[in-house]
Each structure stands twice: as structure tokens, then as C-alpha cells.
Amino acid sequence: MPGARPERVLVIACGMIAREVLAVKEQLGLGHLDLTCLPAEYHFYPDRIAPAMDEAIEQARSEGYRHIFVGYADCGTGGLLDRICEKHGVERMAGPHCFAFYQGLEAYAKVGDLDMMSFYMTDFLCRQFEAFFIKPLGLDRHPELVADYFGNYEKLIYLAQTDDPALDKVAENAARMLGLAYERRSTGYGDLVPGLAQATSSVADGRTGQDEP
């Protein structure tokens, strides 16, 4: 109906991209987008993502959401997340992981092989470097373990969603501490922008998160 308000769309995302999803929501004026997140620490435990997503979608359905979008790429689930998406008739972000969709899948396809020995960081990982890497790996107590954990990497690549000198400094210092060459790529939000735009615009024709054929 012309002038009707769009139904709510729930994005169930990785906690590592929560800030970015909200930024894109504001950028695109997606007032009908709601967000809930699974724990960011599942980045290190990909086996937990699919079952947690299954439960989260079931919960969202019970709360009345008909339109759901999964704010994850495959993220190390080995196709298990796709099975959950198929089970519930929902879609997810395309690609193998957020490092790919931030760069854009076409751009990532061109550099993926060259980056095989690179350690990626994002805005989130810069903000949480101490909490996600230094303390859990014990590097604050045993800096000599750097070689064991990062010895096979050659470069640290900071995929920057924003221009923040403080985050740049964190990434540069991390590369120095880990003994890696440093590269900064300004990616912005990459494919997250068209991904969320498509997920929310398709509500109008009933293609996203619908159980009905």
C-alpha cells in the first residue's frame, strides 16, 4: 500500500560488527531495522555460531519478526550457518568472513591469495586488541609467545572502516609488537552497505525472512 510503513527487519549479527551495522543503518536511514547480536567472542569459536543462530532466529520468530537477516558471512562454520539459514528461509551476508565483505568480495578475490600470510585487523579489533588478543593469549605475561602465535604471519593489514588516528596508532603499534610489516587499507563498510540495503528493501516484495513460498 502506498505510504505504508515497512515492517521491521531484524538483523542478527556478530557482535564484532554491531557498531558498523548501526552506522550503516544511520547512513541509509533504515529506521525499520532492528539489531541484536551474538557474542563477539564467537569469532574464536565458530562452532558455536550456527547453533546460537538457530536459537536466535527461533526466538525472533516467537517475538513476531517475519523479516530476518543474518549479519554473518560463513565465518568459519564450514557451511553449517548456511544450513541454518536454509532451515529458516533467511539470507546472510555473502562471503567467507567479514574481512572479505569489508573489502568487497570482488576486491578480496583479487588479493586473497596474496594476503594468505597476513593478519587482518578491523576497527573493532583495534578497539579490543588488549581484550581479544593480548590478555587471552597471555602476551601481557609472556611476550616471548609472540613468535609462537604470529611467527607464520608476514604482515598486519588494518582494514579501516573509519578514519580514526587513535585506531591507526593501535594497529601500527600492534604490527610493531608482533614483528610484522604494516599496511592500512581504507575499506569503509564495504559490502555491508549494499547487503543491508538489499535485505531491508526486499521487505516490500516479501523476499527476506519469509517462511511462505
Side-chain angles (χ1 to χ4, degrees):
M1 181 182 298
R5 294 168 57 184
E7 291 189 53
R8 309 300 298 180
V9 177
L10 179 66
V11 176
I12 305 176
C14 171
M16 288 180 59
I17 69 168
R19 183 188 294 250
E20 288 70 29
V21 170
L22 293 176
V24 173
K25 172 181 177 177
E26 181 177 359
Q27 176 182 317
L28 299 181
L30 303 177
H32 58 301
L33 184 153
D34 296 332
L35 172 66
T36 189
C37 291
L38 300 185
E41 67 180 22
Y42 287 3
H43 175 79
F44 296 119
Y45 306 100
D47 59 305
R48 300 181 185 179
I49 295 173
M53 181 61 67
D54 192 21
E55 293 183 7
I57 294 174
E58 292 282 5
Q59 178 64 31
R61 293 289 194 221
S62 73
E63 295 172 358
Y65 282 101
R66 295 198 309 144
H67 307 286
I68 298 171
F69 183 71
V70 172
Y72 276 87
D74 178 74
C75 296
T77 68
L80 293 179
L81 185 58
D82 284 332
R83 295 183 189 177
I84 298 302
C85 291
E86 182 178 358
K87 171 185 175 181
H88 293 286
V90 302
E91 297 179 358
R92 67 164 175 86
M93 284 294 304
H97 40 62
C98 65
F99 307 124
F101 69 65
Y102 274 146
Q103 296 181 83
L105 296 186
E106 290 187 13
Y108 176 74
K110 296 177 181 178
V111 300
D113 289 342
L114 296 175
D115 287 353
M116 287 295 292
M117 307 302 288
S118 298
F119 178 70
Y120 284 132
M121 290 186 68
T122 63
D123 283 13
F124 175 90
L125 291 175
C126 284
R127 293 189 182 96
Q128 302 295 330
F129 188 64
E130 290 282 335
F132 262 63
F133 294 108
I134 299 300
K135 293 182 178 179
L137 296 178
L139 299 180
D140 53 337
R141 304 181 303 278
H142 300 285
E144 69 275 9
L145 293 176
V146 165
D148 293 328
Y149 288 122
F150 297 93
N152 290 325
Y153 292 106
E154 297 175 352
K155 181 190 295 186
L156 185 152
I157 300 176
Y158 171 30
L159 307 175
Q161 283 71 69
T162 58
D163 292 318
D164 186 332
L167 299 183
D168 291 344
K169 186 174 182 179
V170 171
E172 291 169 4
N173 289 340
R176 189 177 303 110
M177 185 194 78
L178 301 178
L180 304 176
Y182 177 69
E183 179 182 344
R184 182 187 191 278
R185 295 178 188 168
S186 181
T187 66
Y189 303 119
D191 286 348
L192 189 61
V193 177
L196 292 179
Q198 181 177 355
T200 53
S201 66
S202 61
V203 167
D205 58 24
R207 288 188 291 108
T208 300
Q210 294 284 357
D211 289 324
E212 298 84 9

